[in-house]
Amino acid sequence: MSRGYSKGRRFVSQLNRPSSDFDICGSCLLSLRRRYATASAAATSSLEPTPIAQHTPPVATAAAPDQAYQIKAGVVLSRPPILTRDLHPFEKAFYLYQRRLNERLALPFTRYFYYQKDTPADIDWKKKIKERLTAARDIGVYNAYGKEGWNDELLVGAKESEPEAQVEALLKDAEVEAEDEGPVKKAKVEKPMPRATEADTSGDTRSLNRLMARTLYLVVKGSEGGWGFPSGVLMGKESLQRGAERLLVQAAGVNMNTWIVGHAPVGHHNLKYPQPQVEEESKIQRKGEKTFFMKARIMGGQANLKDNKLGLADFKWLAKEELEKEVHPHYWNSVKNMLVER
């Protein structure tokens, strides 16, 4: 760039010499002087150094370390329902009405197709049909082909719609009179097991054989007397799932066959300390605890706190409404949406 600048200056100096040195007219010489003067000015401006913009980086101020929370893993261990749920009174009455309606619409029962005339089974059938007036055994006294056949509905809460009454009617119909040389005897019929167990009657909250139609949750009593789900501090880079598996073994023993459902927590609970607690090893101020709960199922076995390493004193298997009465209100607000109604 400096070489072109010097050539332009020499050329302009030659143009400024007297006109007698050139064989050119005055008007052309004036035009050349103006053109090369403009070019020289442009070359001079391009050679001027460009100012360098100086950037001052922002000064980062050192922030004070934040107070950290203690991260813990919790386990919501549940036993799913084993029996179907109890029916609503309206459902009971509606289902019995459906069976009576089917009795009205179905063809009459052909007795001689199933029973030979004047046989013991035929005699027993004729005796029982006089009592219930219908071929169906569990819809009460009802004649689908009589004048009152249209009256097949029941009021809510009627005895005939109760499952217990229907079971008793089926058991009574299954009894067969055995005629021997002695007096007439009825053959015994094995009855089904009741829906309420001995644990329900005695109120044993440690037993898994209670509330068979409900979901039960394992809650433990800590060393300080509070009730809650099993929980503990994660070790190192341990994941929530691995921590939940370890905590179940440490809290309730190895006599349970359990399964951790998924890798993501189903909820969490925050506990803030009244005053930050300083850890001796890491010198970190703990502001509180954050417990993330993992969902788990029990498929066999029972909890045993004999050799637990968490200082637990007792355990219970409770339904949702029972658990609300045992835990702290703040704890309940955090966990209630993780639990199912049934």
Side-chain angles (χ1 to χ4, degrees), residues 14 90 98 111 115 141 187 199 230 264 267 287 327:
Q14 292 178 1
F90 175 79
Q98 282 189 322
R111 175 166 56 100
Y115 305 108
V141 180
K287 191 176 181 181
V327 300

Side-chain angles (χ1 to χ4, degrees), residues 21-39:
D21 297 337
F22 298 94
D23 295 333
I24 188 171
C25 64
S27 59
C28 293
L29 182 60
L30 182 60
S31 177
L32 289 174
R33 286 177 178 176
R34 291 177 179 174
R35 182 183 303 173
Y36 286 103
T38 304

Side-chain angles (χ1 to χ4, degrees), residues 26 38 45 82 92-93 156 161 165 203 254 276 304 328:
T38 304
S45 62
I82 299 176
K92 299 175 184 177
V156 174
S161 64
V254 297
N304 185 5
H328 192 273

Side-chain angles (χ1 to χ4, degrees), residues 277-289:
Q277 300 179 3
V278 181
E279 293 185 353
E280 297 180 359
E281 297 181 359
S282 60
K283 303 300 181 181
I284 299 178
Q285 289 186 350
R286 296 299 180 184
K287 191 176 181 181
E289 299 176 358

